[in-house]
Amino acid sequence: MEQIVLNNGTYIQISVSDEQKFFARELVSHSITHHHISNIWDKSKDRLAQTRMMRFTGTLGEVVFADCYHLPRPARSFGATDGQDWGQDFLIRSDTEDFAVDIKSMKRRSGILVGDYVLNIPSSQLHKPGSKTSHYFCISFHQSRTEGTIASLLGFIDKQSLENGEIGTLYCAGAKRRRADGSAFTFNEPTYEVLFSDIAPPVVTNSLRRINGFRVCQLK
């Protein structure tokens, strides 16, 4: 099978199976029942009711990533500030370097993604003492009327490049931002914004190409 090497601005879409969603849902239910811990969104009172859905989205992202690259699936789901995994959802070893990957998952209304869409990473998370993260991996989920749940694998963000200011923009607490739809919001804490166009595309393997719904997409 011919190897595919993606350029910046391209991403992968695959179908998410019912079994993957069931597995993630079971982990979240166990977490909510047995792990009464604070969430990163607790400071925002209007989001407290969304705990289950936010944990599900994050956990599903980890399950999908694990299955894509033949890694062990997560055994627990938290969504907490105190970093039980120290920002290392997965450890990927190579001959030259080890990658401690923190999966960043989000929901969007559509799988048509634009280069100036952003991933937000709180400064407190990026600079957390003891953090093991070397890279972030961004996944976006949307619901298709005809294909069910679709995962868009956007790719990697080098944490060091973000810290050094080579990519991303840091906004202070209280900074106001305007969304593409014209609505506005205010950052509750210092936060880095990373453009989708600055995310390094995922690695395409032969097994990944065989996943149901696989296709290569271009940022608009």
Side-chain angles (χ1 to χ4, degrees):
M1 206 177 266
E2 184 182 355
Q3 184 180 14
I4 297 176
V5 179
L6 301 183
N7 298 317
N8 270 35
T10 53
Y11 60 100
I12 294 167
Q13 286 188 342
I14 56 172
S15 297
V16 179
S17 71
D18 289 339
E19 186 279 329
Q20 288 173 318
K21 291 187 285 187
F22 177 81
F23 185 89
R25 208 172 284 122
E26 289 291 292
L27 285 184
V28 172
S29 294
H30 184 272
S31 170
I32 290 175
T33 302
H34 298 285
H35 302 291
H36 302 288
I37 52 180
S38 58
N39 300 289
I40 59 173
W41 50 84
D42 281 349
K43 294 178 182 178
S44 181
K45 294 181 180 179
D46 63 329
R47 298 174 73 180
L48 287 174
Q50 300 180 36
T51 290
R52 182 178 292 273
M53 181 52 68
M54 289 183 176
R55 289 194 187 186
F56 172 73
T57 301
T59 302
L60 183 61
E62 294 176 17
V63 172
V64 167
F65 183 86
D67 290 355
C68 283
Y69 294 107
H70 298 284
L71 299 166
R73 282 182 172 182
R76 55 186 182 180
S77 170
F78 287 99
T81 57
D82 48 357
Q84 289 83 355
D85 59 8
W86 299 104
Q88 180 179 287
D89 293 326
F90 298 95
L91 179 62
I92 303 174
R93 300 185 183 277
S94 71
D95 294 336
T96 58
E97 189 177 358
D98 292 343
F99 299 89
V101 182
D102 187 6
I103 308 300
K104 295 298 177 189
S105 304
M106 69 193 82
K107 287 182 63 179
R108 288 192 176 270
R109 295 178 182 176
S110 167
I112 300 173
L113 304 177
V114 180
D116 61 2
Y117 286 175
V118 298
L119 174 68
N120 290 328
I121 302 176
S123 176
S124 58
Q125 186 179 110
L126 190 80
H127 301 295
K128 185 178 181 63
S131 170
K132 297 179 179 179
T133 305
S134 67
H135 292 78
Y136 300 99
F137 190 91
C138 182
I139 300 178
S140 175
F141 293 104
H142 75 280
Q143 200 68 23
S144 166
R145 290 182 180 179
T146 56
E147 300 177 80
T149 304
I150 304 296
S152 296
L153 310 182
L154 285 147
F156 293 93
I157 298 168
D158 186 311
K159 179 182 175 182
Q160 188 171 9
S161 295
L162 190 54
E163 288 178 316
N164 294 342
E166 297 169 29
I167 59 172
T169 302
L170 175 62
Y171 290 93
C172 298
K176 298 184 185 301
R177 298 285 285 137
R178 188 167 295 278
R179 300 184 181 94
D181 62 6
S183 61
F185 66 96
T186 302
F187 285 116
N188 294 318
E189 63 175 300
T191 302
Y192 288 87
E193 276 192 357
V194 182
L195 293 171
F196 278 13
S197 58
D198 285 336
I199 296 177
V203 176
V204 182
T205 63
N206 287 337
S207 59
L208 180 56
R209 293 173 66 176
R210 289 192 289 267
I211 295 176
N212 187 38
F214 173 88
R215 54 181 169 264
V216 176
C217 304
Q218 189 77 33
L219 293 172
K220 301 300 182 183

